[in-house]
Amino acid sequence: MIGRIAGTLIEKNPPQLLIDCQGVGYEVDVPMSTFYNLPALGEKVALLTHLAIREDAHVLFGFGSAEERSTFRQLIKISGVGSRTALAILSGMSVADLSQAITLQEAGRLTRVPGIGKKTAERLLLELKGKLGADLFSGGVAVAAGDHSGDILNALLALGYSDKEATIAMKSVPAGTGVSDGIKLALKALSKG
C-alpha cells in the first residue's frame, strides 16, 4: 500500500524514525543497517517501505535498499518469524552476510542475532535455501561442491574475526584450497591488513 516514503527526517530513536511528509509525520521502523546510513536531522530522506497491518496496529518499516526490503519480505513469510524478528536479523547482519550464512548452511552465525534460537535458525536455513544467496559469497567467492570455504570461514570466525574480516580474508584463498592451507592463507591476508 505504501511503497516509498520521502520527506524530512525529524526524529531518530533507534529503531524508529519520524519523517515529515508535507506536514504529516510518519513513524517508520528501520533496521540498524539503514539507521546508520541516515542523513542528519532536518535533512531530506527517502526510504522504500513495507506496511504491516495487524489487528492492533499498522506498522511502517523502512529500508535503504530494495535488496533489504526484499529480504525482509522473504523473512516474514517464514513461520515463527515476525516483523520484529526480521528487523532484528537485518540489524544483526547485512543481507550479504545472511545470504552467505544461508548458502553455507551456518546456523551458528544466525544464532548470534539476539532473539534467534537454534530452532529458528535451522528453520531459516531450510526455508531460505535456494531463495537467498544461492551460489555466491558476499565477497564474490563461488562455493562449489567439495570446496572447503565454509570450513575455512568457520575457523576464522571461531578465532574471533568478524564476519566482514573473515569474508575479506576469504578473497585471498583460491577455490579448492584445502582447509589447513586455506586457513594459513586467510590468516596471512589478515595479518597484512
Side-chain angles (χ1 to χ4, degrees):
M1 183 175 169
I2 299 174
R4 183 177 176 275
I5 190 166
T8 306
L9 187 58
I10 299 174
E11 286 180 24
K12 293 199 267 190
N13 296 314
Q16 196 171 76
L17 312 174
L18 186 62
I19 300 174
D20 177 25
C21 299
Q22 309 274 334
V24 178
Y26 289 92
E27 291 179 347
V28 182
D29 288 3
V30 297
M32 295 312 290
S33 52
T34 296
F35 191 86
Y36 293 136
N37 293 316
L38 289 171
L41 292 178
E43 298 285 321
K44 295 288 182 193
V45 66
L47 298 172
L48 296 172
T49 60
H50 175 85
L51 178 63
I53 300 176
R54 302 188 317 239
E55 266 184 44
D56 59 340
H58 292 192
V59 184
L60 196 58
F61 295 94
F63 305 95
S65 71
E67 183 180 48
E68 252 183 1
R69 180 174 68 175
S70 170
T71 302
F72 176 84
R73 288 176 170 168
Q74 286 284 345
L75 289 168
I76 61 174
K77 289 179 186 175
I78 297 170
S79 173
V81 177
S83 50
R84 294 286 171 213
T85 304
L87 208 60
I89 292 168
L90 290 174
S91 291
M93 59 195 323
S94 70
V95 173
D97 289 339
L98 178 60
S99 297
Q100 185 176 0
I102 301 300
T103 300
L104 299 175
Q105 294 292 288
E106 296 175 332
R109 289 174 74 183
L110 295 173
T111 57
R112 287 191 217 143
V113 175
I116 304 295
K118 189 176 180 186
K119 287 183 180 182
T120 304
E122 289 170 356
R123 189 176 320 115
L124 286 167
L125 292 177
L126 179 67
E127 296 202 27
L128 291 175
K129 189 174 184 178
K131 294 178 184 172
L132 195 61
D135 297 318
L136 296 175
F137 275 121
S138 60
V141 180
V143 178
D147 193 358
H148 299 287
S149 299
D151 295 331
I152 298 166
L153 186 71
N154 282 333
L156 295 173
L157 295 172
L159 289 169
Y161 291 100
S162 71
D163 284 342
K164 187 175 183 178
E165 291 169 325
T167 301
I168 291 169
M170 289 301 296
K171 291 179 185 177
S172 67
V173 180
T177 304
V179 177
S180 62
D181 290 337
I183 293 170
K184 288 176 191 172
L185 287 170
L187 289 173
K188 189 180 281 187
L190 285 165
S191 69
K192 289 178 185 175

